[in-house]
Each structure stands twice: as C-alpha cells, then as structure tokens.
Amino acid sequence: MANMDYPGPCPSCGGIDGCSAGVSKEEAVQHYCKGLEMELNAWKARLYDVLVDVGSLNASDQEKLADTLTLIKSTVKEIEAVRGQMLEICPTSLSDKESEIGSKLEKLRVNYTKALQVISPGWFGG
C-alpha cells in the first residue's frame, strides 16, 4: 500500500525541467508518468476495497458515501487524463502539471479519509 503522506509519484521532478535533449526529456516524462501510474493503481485498489465494503453498510451510510465515492472516481479519472496529456505532449516544464497532480492527489486523500470515517475499521479490507 502506498504511503498516504507521500507527496506524489516523483519526489524530485526537476530532472525534467533540466533536461536539454528531447530524448532525455521524453524519458524523464515517461518515468514520472510510470510513477504516477503506480500511485493511481494504489488508489484504485483502495477504492475497490471501499466499494466492496459499501455493500455491507446500511442505506443511510451508503448515502453518506455516494458523493464521496463519486468524487474519488472522478478525481482518479482526472489524474489519468493529465497523465495521458503529459505522455502526448511531453511538457517542457513539469511545475504546472506537478502542482495540478499534487492538488488532485490531496483531493483523493481528503475524500478517502471521509470514506473511512463512515466505514467501520473492522469492515474495511474485508
């Protein structure tokens, strides 16, 4: 399981901004995107665990979780879209994309924590 305090898939992404050659830059972007893909896979696994446990909740708790789960799913899709754009355009600077991804990962953490507040720790992870 990925570290919830981990700021994102790449602790130091200045390497992309510092790459002068096109091939080096493409490799750096691909490396960053691979790390992002691994982070997203960890979030998808967490989401799956939450979705499995939602079935065992009463209707009131399921209603409480519905909006949060929708936000989690849409945020994951947004991050995947940004990753796809990065692979297509191979940005010359990552600072904008990195801050966008960082804010979306923070949004995931917040909504995941909200979901855990509704699900009993004994039920989580099945």
Side-chain angles (χ1 to χ4, degrees):
M1 180 180 275
N3 183 350
M4 292 292 287
D5 297 326
Y6 184 55
C10 184
S12 174
C13 295
I16 295 172
D17 296 341
C19 290
S20 57
V23 173
S24 298
K25 186 178 69 163
E26 285 179 27
E27 288 175 0
V29 169
Q30 287 177 356
H31 178 71
Y32 179 86
C33 288
K34 182 64 177 174
L36 183 59
E37 179 183 7
M38 293 184 327
E39 182 81 4
L40 284 173
N41 286 339
W43 281 107
K44 288 176 185 178
R46 287 186 194 115
L47 179 60
Y48 176 79
D49 287 343
V50 170
L51 290 173
V52 166
D53 291 332
V54 167
S56 62
L57 297 176
N58 61 41
S60 172
D61 286 341
Q62 286 181 7
E63 282 182 35
K64 290 179 191 175
L65 277 178
D67 290 339
T68 302
L69 293 177
T70 300
L71 284 171
I72 291 172
K73 289 177 190 178
S74 66
T75 304
V76 167
K77 288 181 182 182
E78 289 171 8
I79 295 171
E80 288 175 330
V82 171
R83 179 182 168 272
Q85 290 173 347
M86 288 175 64
L87 287 171
E88 279 183 38
I89 63 172
C90 192
T92 56
S93 173
L94 253 191
S95 57
D96 292 339
K97 294 294 182 186
E98 189 176 18
S99 64
E100 180 181 356
I101 289 169
S103 68
K104 291 183 186 306
L105 288 171
E106 177 61 26
K107 187 176 172 183
L108 277 175
R109 288 182 193 99
V110 168
N111 286 313
Y112 181 73
T113 301
K114 286 180 184 178
L116 291 182
Q117 291 172 349
V118 176
I119 297 174
S120 169
W123 290 346
F124 188 73

